[in-house]
């Protein structure tokens, strides 16, 4: 197994409740079950020795000259890793069967199929789980020569193989060595379930092939719903599938990323847990899917948002909403440091949970209204009373400092982006009310909306720099303001916006890659630096396109696509040498890619070269 493969050297598989990362070396080095935010079973991505993994690849002790290629089967989440050697060519297929029902389950299966298409190849299988983030011991029981039971606290992990794979014990782990020749295939199924669960059905080659076909058929059927027919269909489809994989089907809540603890700077402390549902990220993700025609996912998330309105739970900040929740709506995300893990390439501390859940970020009320406002049928009646109460409450609380969109830990400020989305909250609430003839205090909401607008124009604008700025106390720029024309606050061709865009070109853009802000000029309370932020780079493309700068926008977009990994996935950031950094894959990035592609298609069609 590679010591620490690059973050980008992974593909994502999942069943819409859990997700796993598979490296191009054939190693599952990240899998949390039974939910995205559960403790890991495989976590070697964050600790090579103590994290646990499942490795299935050509045996390196017997074959030394190996070329590896990894790809997705077209328009699916079925991952294929190919091993090409002078002795033969083999393939390992990794997938999970999607379950988009509303029933949460403890049982989840990770399928690994292996076959040889040319020659003869020796393979090695290692199943080395480390339960509860590697903190808990486990026991191994060989049930027969092709199945085993590994038990950790609260979790049973069944290992099943088909002929000719024979399992043997190596301590409390299971390993196997076997050889396949051209035309032969075998299968491995890992079934995680609650302690004491019944043994899975026997595994055979026919069942494995049927499951493989079922997974592929699901994704083809789902993607047929897409209405996108633009220039970048392959990348847009991959981004849509990724957003779907990051959505917890039982509640409709999308998570920000599949991982925790991956660093924004190698060796640095900016290592956060992103396996939760941010109101901001989720709202924008669902809007991106709606634009592609995926309405069921958006409706499920609106119901989740509605439930948060109606829940009336007390948050740590005392506000009616908090910035993030667990996928089931639980607001408790206590942050702990996993001090026994060294972190990805020594990037510590490794954090599980997220203390930022207690922060005040007032922009979320705009994003919540944005999501709720998409409802266009009578289903919107439910939750209306709670929604109007929320907006009434916000009339009295919008004008206050907060931690801002980037969750800085350097103290509260009057962030312009937070005010921008406060304006959105009132503007969209007024639109919803008028469109559906609903009862509400529109006069009060209108006064609040106009007050926010005037405040941004007066205090969020630097006369000296001729730009909108990050916060009222400085003249620092912030890439979050690239959303200003997108939400309708300012025309994309307004002179004040174009001068802001020009200033961002000078201060935040590096060869089409965009930094969120300059932490040296605007301290965020954390040590170290970070890479360019992929969300902002795609927002920049969209802003350029809407401003009529289509040649520049297309060039920037095409360059951004070169930073995708070998299977079309993006992490959170791009480092100085083009490496992917941060949690992976990130929903924010993929939703922004979709929006940028749609904007570019529209503008290129409208403004022929």
């Amino acid at each position: 197994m590679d010591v620490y493969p690059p973050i980008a050297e992974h593909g994502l598989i999942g069943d819409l409740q859990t997700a796993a990362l598979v490296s191009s070396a054939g190693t599952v080095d990240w899998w949390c079950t039974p939910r995205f935010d559960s403790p890991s079973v495989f976590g070697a991505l964050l600790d090579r020795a103590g994290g646990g993994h499942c490795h299935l690849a050509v045996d390196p002790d017997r074959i030394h000259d190996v070329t590896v290629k990894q790809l997705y089967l077209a328009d699916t989440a079925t991952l294929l890793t190919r091993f090409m050697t002078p002795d033969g060519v083999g393939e390992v297929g990794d997938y999970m069967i999607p379950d988009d029902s509303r029933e949460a389950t403890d049982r989840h299966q990770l399928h690994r199929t292996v076959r040889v298409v040319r020659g003869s190849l020796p393979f090695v299988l290692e199943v080395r789980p480390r339960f509860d983030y590697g903190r808990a011991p486990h026991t191994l029981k060989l049930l027969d020569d092709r199945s085993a039971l590994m038990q950790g606290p609260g979790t049973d992990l069944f290992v099943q193989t088909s002929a000719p794979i024979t399992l043997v014990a190596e301590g409390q782990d299971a390993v196997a060595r076997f050889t396949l020749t051209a035309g032969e295939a075998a299968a491995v199924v890992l079934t995680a379930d609650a302690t004491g669960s019944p043994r899975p059905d026997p595994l055979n080659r026919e069942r494995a092939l049927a499951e493989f076909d079922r997974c592929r058929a699901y994704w083809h059927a789902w993607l047929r719903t897409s209405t996108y027919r633009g220039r970048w269909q392959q990348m847009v489809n991959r981004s849509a599938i990724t957003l779907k994989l990051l959505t917890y089907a039982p509640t409709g809540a999308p998570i920000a990323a599949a991982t925790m603890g991956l660093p924004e700077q190698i060796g640095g402390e900016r290592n956060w847990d992103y396996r939760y549902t941010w109101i901001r990220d989720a709202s924008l993700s669902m809007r991106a899917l709606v634009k592609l025609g995926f309405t069921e996912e958006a409706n499920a998330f609106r119901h989740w948002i509605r439930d948060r309105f109606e829940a009336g739970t007390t948050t740590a900040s005392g506000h009616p909403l908090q910035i993030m929740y667990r996928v089931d709506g639980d607001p408790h995300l206590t942050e702990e440091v996993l001090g026994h893990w060294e972190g990805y390439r020594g990037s510590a501390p490794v954090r599980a949970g997220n203390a930022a859940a207690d922060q005040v970020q007032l922009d979320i009320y705009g994003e919540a209204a944005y999501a709720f406002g998409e409802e266009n049928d009578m289903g919107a009646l439910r939750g209306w009373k709670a929604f109007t109460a929320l907006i009434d409450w916000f009339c009295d609380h919008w004008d206050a400092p907060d931690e801002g969109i980037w969750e800085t830990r350097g103290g509260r400020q009057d962030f312009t982006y937070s005010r921008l989305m406060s304006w959105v909250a009132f503007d969209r609430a007024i639109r919803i009310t008028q469109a559906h003839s609903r009862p509400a205090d529109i006069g009060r909401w209108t006064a609040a909306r106009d007050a926010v607008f005037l405040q941004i124009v007066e205090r969020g604008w630097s006369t000296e720099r001729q730009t909108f700025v990050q916060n009222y106390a400085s003249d620092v720029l912030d890439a979050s303001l690239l959303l200003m024309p997108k939400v309708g606050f300012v025309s994309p061709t307004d002179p004040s916006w174009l001068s802001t865009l020009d200033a961002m070109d000078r201060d935040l853009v590096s060869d089409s890659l965009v930094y969120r802000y300059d932490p040296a000029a605007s301290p965020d309370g954390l040590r170290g630096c970070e890479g360019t932020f992929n969300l902002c780079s795609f927002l920049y493309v969209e802003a350029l396109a809407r401003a009529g700068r289509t040649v520049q926008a297309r060039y920037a977009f095409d360059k951004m696509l070169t930073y995708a990994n070998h299977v079309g996935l993006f992490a959170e950031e791009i480092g100085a040498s083009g490496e992917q950094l941060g949690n992976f894959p990130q929903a924010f990035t993929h939703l922004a890619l979709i929006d940028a592609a749609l904007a570019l298609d529209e503008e290129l069609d409208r403004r022929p070269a």
Side-chain angles (χ1 to χ4, degrees):
M1 189 184 81
D2 288 344
V3 175
Y4 279 111
I7 292 170
E9 282 299 314
H10 290 88
L12 177 73
I13 61 174
D15 63 4
L16 310 184
Q17 294 189 33
T18 69
L21 294 185
V22 185
S23 79
S24 59
T27 304
V28 181
D29 55 19
W30 185 254
W31 186 28
C32 298
T33 184
R35 296 193 328 196
F36 297 120
D37 57 356
S38 299
S40 62
V41 172
F42 301 134
L45 191 59
L46 295 177
D47 192 285
R48 58 187 174 183
H53 67 271
C54 175
H55 182 64
L56 177 56
V58 168
D59 191 339
D61 294 334
R62 298 171 60 186
I63 300 288
H64 303 289
D65 185 9
V66 182
T67 299
V68 182
K69 301 287 186 180
Q70 194 176 57
L71 68 153
Y72 279 113
L73 293 184
D75 292 338
T76 77
T78 301
L79 195 66
L80 203 65
T81 306
R82 308 190 74 223
F83 300 91
M84 292 168 280
T85 81
D87 296 328
V89 177
E91 300 175 344
V92 173
D94 288 291
Y95 59 96
M96 301 174 76
I97 306 297
D99 178 6
D100 54 10
S101 69
R102 301 303 295 269
E103 295 297 324
T105 177
D106 288 328
R107 171 163 289 198
H108 299 277
Q109 292 189 319
L110 195 159
H111 297 255
R112 313 201 73 183
T113 60
V114 56
R115 69 178 185 139
V116 169
V117 296
R118 291 181 181 175
S120 177
L121 287 177
F123 290 87
V124 61
L125 169 68
E126 300 176 356
V127 184
R128 305 185 187 278
R130 299 295 181 265
F131 294 87
D132 189 25
Y133 302 122
R135 293 180 293 197
H138 69 276
T139 60
L140 168 69
K141 180 181 180 181
L142 293 176
L143 303 174
D144 53 51
D145 61 354
R146 292 202 175 92
S147 62
L149 171 61
M150 297 174 167
Q151 291 186 301
T155 303
D156 286 352
L157 181 66
F158 292 94
V159 183
Q160 297 173 286
T161 66
S162 67
I165 306 175
T166 299
L167 296 171
V168 298
E170 190 173 283
Q172 297 302 312
D173 300 327
V175 299
R177 281 178 167 78
F178 60 98
T179 298
L180 298 177
T181 59
E184 292 184 328
V188 179
V189 176
L190 307 178
T191 303
D193 210 336
T195 298
S197 300
R199 185 173 173 174
D201 294 336
L203 176 64
N204 56 53
R205 185 175 183 271
E206 290 69 29
R207 175 189 156 201
L209 292 175
E211 295 285 57
F212 186 90
D213 289 340
R214 187 157 71 97
C215 180
R216 180 172 53 187
Y218 172 90
W219 288 108
H220 286 168
W222 182 78
L223 206 55
R224 278 198 291 271
T225 307
S226 175
T227 58
Y228 183 73
R229 301 294 183 269
R231 295 168 175 82
W232 294 278
Q233 193 161 9
Q234 185 175 359
M235 289 301 296
V236 168
N237 286 354
R238 179 55 51 204
S239 291
I241 289 172
T242 302
L243 294 182
K244 178 70 170 176
L245 282 171
L246 295 176
T247 301
Y248 186 67
T251 64
I255 59 172
T259 60
M260 55 176 255
L262 290 178
E264 297 173 19
Q265 178 188 22
I266 302 298
E269 66 170 337
R270 299 165 185 259
N271 317 314
W272 315 112
D273 191 345
Y274 277 14
R275 300 170 301 154
Y276 306 114
T277 301
W278 271 254
I279 287 180
R280 175 192 310 114
D281 304 40
S283 298
L284 296 175
S285 292
M286 290 303 105
R287 284 183 62 81
L289 287 178
V290 164
K291 293 176 184 177
L292 300 179
F294 298 106
T295 57
E296 288 187 13
E297 289 76 12
N299 285 333
F301 175 66
R302 289 174 199 136
H303 295 160
W304 186 89
I305 279 280
R306 179 199 64 205
D307 292 343
R308 304 287 75 72
F309 294 161
E310 296 181 321
T313 53
T314 301
T315 64
S317 66
H319 288 200
L321 291 179
Q322 67 181 39
I323 68 169
M324 72 179 95
Y325 298 83
R326 294 187 182 274
V327 290
D328 60 358
D330 183 352
H332 301 103
L333 287 79
T334 303
E335 185 176 301
E336 62 176 320
V337 171
L338 304 182
H340 63 292
W341 273 4
E342 69 176 8
Y344 178 82
R345 297 188 179 181
S347 302
V350 175
R351 297 179 177 90
N354 200 314
D358 296 339
Q359 288 190 357
V360 172
Q361 296 176 23
L362 296 173
D363 65 288
I364 65 171
Y365 296 94
E367 279 106 13
Y370 221 8
F372 190 78
E374 288 293 325
E375 187 73 74
N376 58 8
D377 58 27
M378 294 306 290
L381 284 171
R382 181 179 167 187
W384 179 254
K385 184 177 180 181
F387 177 70
T388 56
L390 184 74
I391 300 300
D392 286 339
W393 174 90
F394 197 49
C395 285
D396 296 323
H397 294 87
W398 65 266
D399 194 8
D402 67 356
E403 275 88 3
I405 179 177
W406 306 129
E407 297 171 7
T408 59
R409 301 194 177 189
R412 295 180 181 178
Q413 299 279 354
D414 290 305
F415 286 104
T416 305
Y417 178 79
S418 297
R419 295 297 194 275
L420 170 69
M421 296 311 294
S422 298
W423 177 86
V424 169
F426 296 123
D427 182 72
R428 295 319 189 264
I430 293 167
R431 293 189 193 189
I432 299 166
T433 301
Q434 294 175 333
H436 297 282
S437 301
R438 303 283 165 74
D441 193 346
I442 292 183
R444 187 183 183 205
W445 295 0
T446 301
R449 180 197 63 185
D450 295 347
V452 180
F453 182 91
L454 292 174
Q455 188 185 95
I456 293 173
V457 171
E458 293 170 4
R459 300 181 62 192
W461 172 261
S462 169
T463 303
E464 180 180 351
R465 298 199 64 187
Q466 290 294 293
T467 65
F468 289 102
V469 293
Q470 181 188 67
N471 62 72
Y472 294 169
S474 75
D475 60 0
V476 174
L477 297 178
D478 193 307
S480 64
L481 299 181
L482 287 164
L483 281 162
M484 288 185 115
K486 185 181 182 73
V487 300
F489 182 86
V490 64
S491 165
T493 57
D494 187 282
S496 65
W497 173 247
L498 294 179
S499 64
T500 300
L501 193 55
D502 290 337
M504 289 187 184
D505 278 334
R506 295 188 297 268
D507 286 17
L508 299 181
V509 180
S510 174
D511 190 34
S512 81
L513 299 174
V514 182
Y515 290 95
R516 295 189 294 179
Y517 54 90
D518 180 0
S522 180
D524 56 13
L526 297 166
R527 296 187 303 273
C529 59
E530 62 179 14
T532 55
F533 208 73
N534 293 329
L535 162 73
C536 300
S537 297
F538 283 119
L539 290 177
Y540 173 66
V541 169
E542 183 175 0
L544 289 173
R546 297 303 188 193
R549 302 174 181 181
T550 52
V551 173
Q552 185 183 358
R554 182 163 190 174
Y555 184 44
F557 187 68
D558 287 342
K559 283 198 290 186
M560 269 303 298
L561 296 184
T562 68
Y563 291 103
N565 80 343
H566 57 289
V567 291
L569 302 181
F570 283 91
E572 184 177 19
E573 300 181 3
I574 300 297
S577 60
E579 73 277 17
Q580 297 212 31
L581 295 171
N583 285 305
F584 175 91
Q586 196 206 31
F588 240 171
T589 302
H590 286 279
L591 73 88
L593 184 157
I594 291 170
D595 284 349
L598 291 170
L600 256 179
D601 278 323
E602 182 180 334
E603 295 300 327
L604 288 170
D605 290 343
R606 192 163 63 89
R607 307 167 188 260

